[in-house]
Amino acid sequence: MKNILLLLALLLITVFIYSQNQTINGNLHVALTDGGNLRIGKIGDFGNREVPIGSVTAQYNLDFSGYRDIAADQIGARIAAIRFNCHVANKAYVQSTALAFFTNPTGTNSGTTDLVERMRISPGGNVGIGISNPTSRLEVNGVIRAKEVKIEAANWPDYVFHKEYNLPALSEVENHINE
């Protein structure tokens, strides 16, 4: 219990020290907001201003170091907040933000060389796995394995499987299709 309290105290001290938008080596911007939330990113940072609608204005990365047995300074994984211009072309004052998740499958090169985007949550809430521009609530580019899938839809025409339902003859279906 003492170890947990000591660790928590150290974390709080660290957050307090850097809570006034302090910068470390030009990379870390951490601030406590009025509501007590932890903010990552520079307050008032406009990023790139002269960008078309839908283009990236800035990106904040939370990087996780990889193993250092082969390559120094390797990024093993990343969570990125990607900001897009969503208002007026070449005036990126209104921005929406997506979250992208990256992993490093090879682990042989330094830096971000081997990072591959695996999943993205779009500004509108669509989730893409293996796709960086999802247009549906869940879009997967690959095989999905599940123990169970429950599909719920209004007016699902499962009544055609009831014994009382009279299926039309194939010739009637053909005529209907041709019409």
Side-chain angles (χ1 to χ4, degrees), residues 35-147:
N37 297 317
L38 180 65
R39 178 189 305 254
I40 297 176
K42 185 177 177 184
I43 297 172
D45 180 13
F46 291 103
N48 300 323
R49 294 182 184 185
E50 303 296 319
V51 294
I53 293 177
S55 296
V56 174
T57 63
Q59 179 171 327
Y60 289 123
N61 300 320
L62 180 58
D63 289 337
F64 300 87
S65 295
Y67 294 107
R68 299 178 189 269
D69 56 345
I70 294 176
D73 298 320
Q74 179 189 102
I75 304 300
R78 167 180 282 174
I79 300 172
I82 304 171
R83 294 172 20 193
F84 296 93
N85 179 7
C86 66
H87 189 59
V88 176
N90 295 322
K91 299 209 182 302
Y93 301 126
V94 179
Q95 300 168 0
S96 59
T97 305
L99 284 177
F101 300 83
F102 299 79
T103 61
N104 184 329
T106 60
T108 56
N109 294 302
S110 62
T112 60
T113 304
D114 298 327
L115 284 180
V116 177
E117 184 175 334
R118 303 301 185 173
M119 183 174 79
R120 182 175 290 199
I121 303 172
S122 75
N126 294 335
V127 176
I129 299 174
I131 186 164
S132 60
N133 190 20
T135 56
S136 300
R137 275 293 173 223
L138 176 61
E139 195 167 335
V140 179
N141 182 14
V143 175
I144 299 173
R145 178 180 287 186
K147 295 224 180 240

Side-chain angles (χ1 to χ4, degrees), residues 160-176:
V160 298
F161 297 107
H162 296 157
K163 289 182 182 180
E164 305 83 36
Y165 184 76
N166 292 322
L167 286 170
L170 286 178
S171 58
E172 290 179 44
V173 174
E174 181 181 17
N175 290 335
H176 178 72

